[in-house]
Amino acid sequence: MAKTSSEKKLDKANKKLKELEKFKYNDSLGLSSAYSTAYDDYSDWLQNAAENGYGKYLSDVETLFGDVMKQEKFSYDPVKDKLFQLYKEQYTNQGNRAMKNQLGAAAAFSGGYNSSAAQSASQNAYQNYLTALSDKAAETYQNALNMYKYKQQNLFDKYNAARDMNNAANDAYWKQADAKAQRMNSAYNAYSNERNYQYNKYSSDRNFYQNQGKNALDQINWLKEYQLKKKQYKGG
């Protein structure tokens, strides 16, 4: 017996519903793969931050910061100052020579006798060199202080340079990370929009064939009930 149009519609609806039993995303455009690749790239960038430049100069910054914090206060000891000791030897020798020369000159003038005036003159000659040495002490003190300040500033400059380079490296790292995150988000949005479109179409098709099958089944049931009543009416 040939099937009615309603039965044919029901068979078609059931066949379509079987095909639509589960949603299957079609990645023919490669959007899911593109998102997966972008996600892996971004994740790898974050997980390997050090290898990708983050904190590139951090060890230098920490070392130099430690050196800055360990700096000793300025102190000056002329005994340990080689330059001052050189001046001391030089001026002491020159003072001794000046004192001897003064005594020798006085003795020659006085017939070989050292007078108190000669002694005083020789001491003054010697003292002049000690006074000059005292002036050199102030000079070597200032030189040492200037050298201390220079080394201190040089250390600060190295620390600041290392810190600036590390900050620049970190900024470059995060700039690249942001670019990768944007590519990942764009890829995800494209994939998500396409998947939602396909799922909405799948849901719409499924609802359509569910309604078509229900209508066909209702029509079949109505026809069966109608024929039954018609048969009963005829007394058959």
Side-chain angles (χ1 to χ4, degrees):
M1 182 178 179
K3 291 185 176 182
T4 64
S5 60
S6 296
E7 289 174 334
K8 291 179 180 179
K9 288 181 180 180
L10 180 59
D11 290 343
K12 181 180 178 181
N14 288 334
K15 181 180 179 181
K16 288 292 185 180
L17 288 172
K18 188 175 182 179
E19 294 174 359
L20 297 171
E21 184 176 3
K22 291 182 179 180
F23 171 69
K24 294 179 181 179
Y25 172 71
N26 181 4
D27 194 31
S28 60
L29 298 177
L31 299 179
S32 177
S33 300
Y35 166 63
S36 180
T37 299
Y39 175 86
D40 290 342
D41 184 42
Y42 178 61
S43 179
D44 179 74
W45 186 261
L46 295 181
Q47 292 176 8
N48 297 283
E51 290 81 352
N52 293 318
Y54 184 77
K56 184 176 182 180
Y57 303 99
L58 182 58
S59 61
D60 293 337
V61 173
E62 292 175 341
T63 299
L64 289 168
F65 180 76
D67 292 341
V68 169
M69 297 303 295
K70 288 186 294 186
Q71 288 185 102
E72 296 180 356
K73 292 183 179 180
F74 174 74
S75 63
Y76 179 73
D77 184 356
V79 175
K80 297 180 180 179
D81 189 340
K82 293 182 179 180
L83 179 60
F84 176 77
Q85 292 301 315
L86 183 64
Y87 281 133
K88 181 180 179 181
E89 182 179 358
Q90 176 186 347
Y91 279 80
T92 300
N93 290 336
Q94 289 176 346
N96 286 328
R97 283 197 300 271
M99 184 172 63
K100 289 178 180 179
N101 290 338
Q102 189 67 35
L103 286 174
F109 182 76
S110 62
Y113 295 97
N114 291 331
S115 65
S116 60
Q119 290 287 342
S120 177
S122 66
Q123 287 295 328
N124 287 337
Y126 182 77
Q127 189 61 43
N128 287 337
Y129 279 96
L130 292 184
T131 300
L133 179 61
S134 179
D135 292 339
K136 284 296 182 182
E139 178 184 315
T140 55
Y141 172 88
Q142 188 61 49
N143 287 341
L145 179 60
N146 291 341
M147 182 58 67
Y148 171 82
K149 291 181 177 179
Y150 169 78
K151 290 181 178 179
Q152 185 183 54
Q153 186 60 51
N154 187 50
L155 184 57
F156 280 133
D157 291 343
K158 288 181 178 179
Y159 166 73
N160 290 329
R163 184 190 59 186
D164 291 344
M165 288 191 297
N166 191 62
N167 289 340
N170 290 350
D171 289 343
Y173 168 82
W174 284 116
K175 183 177 181 180
Q176 187 69 8
D178 289 342
K180 291 179 180 294
Q182 290 178 9
R183 286 195 291 270
M184 180 188 69
N185 291 334
S186 296
Y188 173 77
N189 290 334
Y191 157 69
S192 181
N193 289 338
E194 176 62 19
R195 191 179 190 282
N196 288 338
Y197 169 78
Q198 291 186 23
Y199 183 79
N200 290 336
K201 186 177 184 305
Y202 157 80
S203 297
S204 177
D205 291 345
R206 187 180 59 181
N207 290 336
F208 172 79
Y209 288 112
Q210 283 177 342
N211 290 332
Q212 188 180 65
K214 182 178 180 301
N215 292 335
L217 184 60
D218 289 344
Q219 184 67 26
I220 292 171
N221 291 335
W222 179 86
L223 184 58
K224 287 180 178 180
E225 185 178 351
Y226 171 76
Q227 291 176 343
L228 179 60
K229 288 182 177 180
K230 183 177 179 182
K231 185 177 180 181
Q232 291 174 348
Y233 178 75
K234 291 181 177 180

